Amino acid sequence: MLLAVNVGNKSISFATFENGSVDVISKFTASADKSRTADEYVILVKQLLDYSGIDTKDIDGSIMASVVPQLNDVIKSVILKLTGKSPLVVGPGVKTGFAIRIDDPAELGADIVANAAAVVSILKAEKMDRPALILDMGRVTTLFAITKNREVVGGAIVPGVDMSLDALHRDTALLPSIELSGAPRAIGKNTKASLISGVILGQAAMIDGLVDRFEKELRCDFGEAMLFATGERCETVTANCTHTFRYCPDLTLNGLACIYKNTAE
């Protein structure tokens, strides 16, 4: 059994897979707490695995992606203590299944690498010879492009929905902290509605505009690129986009399973 771990800025996602499969058996999340020790994480993750019906003795492989360097050694230690083996870490040397054509491939975030690996696997399985754009909406919003030739050629990174709301509340005297609820309207009738309009519809309009610009720079026809979306906030935002995205909630974890399979073969 494979254990895949994705360390994000806000949370850490765990998933298990049967060896050779990219279909999730079980998954759970824990907060990405930099103050928590490896031993504390071991206890927490062991409890979550037990609750999911997973015996650590059945885990004979693991892979990890991280965008939080401060947690890398901690989580690697946790995986080693739980499984008896060090995880494969997404970075130079792993077999992604695609080429990275940016100025410095080492700069590409491990989560973006995993997302691209999953999308390339989907395109291959469905025999789709088309470019693809991958939207990931977590603490930050990213949109990255894959060409027809299965090359990641770059993308865009902007503050995410929660980061934007936090910044508006933190850096202004009168704007409150709010919960996102209700259908957004462009013309907000009160402060909360105006914040929701700006953040949700603003992100949706930005994403639509970026998709159009990406397709133009990729020199493909309008609507030719396949659009994939993942992340905590993507359903809320993409519901207000003019472009239609294929929602894949486990895209990053699926991609980790793909990379492990590619590297092990």
Side-chain angles (χ1 to χ4, degrees), residues 19 30 34 50 60 71 82 89 100 109 115 128 135 146 174 179 183-184 200 206-207 212 220 223 239 246 249:
N19 288 335
K34 299 181 185 69
D50 289 343
D60 50 18
L71 285 174
L82 286 172
V89 179
I100 301 175
N115 288 342
M128 300 297 292
L135 175 68
I146 299 177
L174 296 177
E179 292 291 330
I200 299 299
M206 175 196 66
I207 290 165
D212 292 341
C220 56
R246 179 170 172 176

Side-chain angles (χ1 to χ4, degrees), residues 133 209-223 225:
L133 306 183
L210 284 174
V211 168
D212 292 341
R213 289 171 182 264
F214 274 39
E215 287 193 321
K216 184 177 180 180
E217 290 188 19
L218 290 171
R219 296 194 177 112
C220 56
D221 296 333
F222 177 80

Side-chain angles (χ1 to χ4, degrees), residues 72-260:
N72 288 0
D73 288 341
V74 171
I75 301 304
K76 283 192 287 186
S77 175
V78 170
I79 295 171
L80 176 60
K81 288 180 179 181
L82 286 172
T83 68
K85 297 179 181 179
S86 296
L88 174 67
V89 179
V90 175
V94 301
K95 296 181 180 179
T96 60
F98 58 89
I100 301 175
R101 307 297 187 199
I102 64 174
D103 292 341
D104 182 0
E107 287 184 355
L108 193 64
D111 54 343
I112 296 170
V113 171
N115 288 342
V119 166
V120 167
S121 177
I122 292 170
L123 294 174
K124 183 178 179 181
E126 298 182 359
K127 299 179 180 179
M128 300 297 292
D129 185 23
R130 292 166 59 182
L133 306 183
I134 308 170
L135 175 68
D136 191 340
M137 302 194 70
R139 188 67 181 167
V140 299
T141 293
T142 63
L143 185 68
F144 273 73
I146 299 177
T147 68
K148 293 179 180 179
N149 297 323
R150 307 295 181 254
E151 299 173 333
V152 173
V153 291
I157 304 172
V158 298
V161 169
D162 293 322
M163 184 182 290
S164 298
L165 286 173
D166 289 347
L168 286 167
H169 173 58
R170 182 186 65 247
D171 297 335
T172 60
L174 296 177
L175 294 179
S177 176
I178 66 166
E179 292 291 330
L180 294 175
S181 60
R185 293 175 56 88
I187 303 175
K189 297 293 187 180
N190 53 58
T191 300
K192 178 180 177 180
S194 298
L195 285 169
I196 292 174
S197 170
V199 173
I200 299 299
L201 298 185
Q203 288 255 335
M206 175 196 66
I207 290 165
D208 281 328
L210 284 174
V211 168
D212 292 341
R213 289 171 182 264
F214 274 39
E215 287 193 321
K216 184 177 180 180
E217 290 188 19
L218 290 171
R219 296 194 177 112
C220 56
D221 296 333
F222 177 80
E224 181 183 354
M226 295 188 68
L227 307 180
F228 295 84
T230 193
E232 183 180 359
R233 294 296 191 186
C234 74
E235 284 190 292
T236 301
V237 174
T238 57
N240 295 281
C241 289
T242 57
H243 294 87
T244 300
F245 286 81
R246 179 170 172 176
Y247 176 53
C248 305
D250 300 324
L251 192 69
T252 311
L253 294 166
N254 293 144
L256 290 178
C258 291
I259 292 171
Y260 187 87

